[in-house]
Amino acid sequence: MMQFPLTIAGVTTRVLQAGHTGPAVLFVHGLSTRADRWRAVLEHTATLGFRAIAFDLPGHGLADKPADFDYSASGLARFTLGVLDALEIPHAHLVGTSLGGHIAALAALAAPQRCQSLYLVAPLGLAPMTPETGEAIRRGVRNVSIEGVRAKLANVFIDSSFATEDLIVEESRINGSVGALEALSALGDYIVERLNSELVSDALVGLARTLPVGLLWGAHDRMVPLSIGHATANALGLGELPVMADVGHAPYVEQPELFVERWSAFAGAAKAHA
């Protein structure tokens, strides 16, 4: 595992990478988290012969947090494609979770020739968000206190042991750092005011005719209802929705080896499909 800075259009981010050769896999994290949530997944994916990469979205983690950045899913999708450009990766498997799933889907729709497959883990952007849910998310991302972070992580993980005190304090400090709260607030505003104008479900139906698209949900996801996953799997003609037992909204954290096993099986099928 290595990490290094990378600058795209004047915005510097942190990249984590495991493996130097093989097909590239780009992992996109969700709202108010960061690249290191994928650390165990990167390590396991690299052992399978892939070049596994994650990065901090602008406004998150150790990335820059410019006030004038376009903090929308489409703006972050453009940055994601910029990461591929800066790393000189012509095409990659894209894996995104939660808001990162929405971002990855928009990146794949914008540049399908850059995407070998698209794997979405309980993503946003598939179904209209109610005003109540949007306001709850906006309040949550603006509360970077220790207790606010503790409450948020209680909804992310089923196994409370993953919400360690170190993680809670670290997340509070990072999300309360200079520029972070303003960036997260801008994303909260986007989710309330504009996310429903960038839904991807209909476009994914067309994309899935030419590009392998996969879904995965945690059986106990408290953030994005399983009903959305079932409806999307049906619309995409994927059959039964793949679900991981005994995990919540972050199956890649709670059971990283099984997560990689599920993804690699999908990627293998995607390669055969190609």
Side-chain angles (χ1 to χ4, degrees):
M1 178 73 64
M2 62 177 179
Q3 62 178 343
F4 52 88
L6 187 72
T7 301
I8 297 96
V11 178
T12 299
T13 186
R14 169 187 60 155
V15 174
L16 299 180
Q17 179 174 320
H20 295 274
T21 59
V25 191
L26 188 65
F27 295 88
V28 187
H29 67 75
L31 178 64
S32 76
T33 66
R34 52 201 173 277
D36 47 53
R37 289 281 177 86
W38 294 109
R39 184 177 292 273
V41 165
L42 297 177
E43 292 171 343
H44 290 305
T45 303
T47 66
L48 300 178
F50 292 93
R51 180 185 176 191
I53 301 162
F55 65 99
D56 289 332
L57 290 166
H60 295 73
L62 303 183
D64 287 348
K65 301 162 179 67
D68 59 351
F69 188 83
D70 178 6
Y71 291 108
S72 66
S74 54
L76 292 166
R78 287 190 291 273
F79 188 87
T80 298
L81 292 171
V83 170
L84 294 180
D85 291 338
L87 293 174
E88 299 182 341
I89 296 173
H91 43 75
H93 299 278
L94 296 183
V95 181
T97 182
S98 197
L99 180 64
H102 192 188
I103 293 164
L106 286 168
L109 289 165
Q113 74 281 5
R114 308 291 302 275
C115 186
Q116 289 183 271
S117 70
L118 177 64
Y119 197 64
L120 305 175
V121 186
L124 300 183
L126 294 179
M129 184 170 290
T130 66
E132 295 79 12
T133 298
E135 287 292 352
I137 292 173
R138 177 155 65 179
R139 287 194 304 272
V141 297
R142 288 176 173 172
N143 186 352
V144 297
S145 68
I146 294 292
E147 290 310 313
V149 172
R150 194 188 309 279
K152 182 192 74 171
L153 293 179
N155 282 323
V156 172
F157 303 124
I158 294 303
D159 183 346
S160 61
S161 69
F162 285 96
T164 64
E165 198 64 19
D166 282 349
L167 177 60
I168 291 167
V169 172
E170 178 184 69
E171 191 142 312
S172 176
R173 290 182 175 176
I174 289 176
N175 291 347
S177 63
V178 175
L181 184 56
E182 291 79 5
L184 294 175
S185 293
L187 268 164
D189 292 342
Y190 161 78
I191 286 171
V192 170
E193 300 165 7
R194 297 168 50 204
L195 182 144
N196 285 348
S197 69
E198 290 195 324
L199 299 181
V200 296
S201 49
D202 290 342
L204 284 179
V205 173
L207 185 69
R209 297 191 184 106
T210 58
L211 182 76
V213 177
L215 299 172
L216 183 68
W217 247 259
H220 304 284
D221 195 315
R222 298 170 180 147
M223 308 295 284
V224 183
L226 275 163
S227 58
I228 293 176
H230 288 299
T232 304
N234 182 63
L236 296 179
L238 302 180
E240 186 175 353
L241 175 70
V243 175
M244 279 178 58
D246 303 320
V247 295
H249 191 56
Y252 50 94
V253 175
E254 293 193 86
Q255 294 188 30
E257 292 186 37
L258 180 57
F259 177 85
V260 172
E261 181 180 312
R262 291 291 193 97
W263 175 79
S264 62
F266 161 76
K271 183 177 179 180
H273 173 81

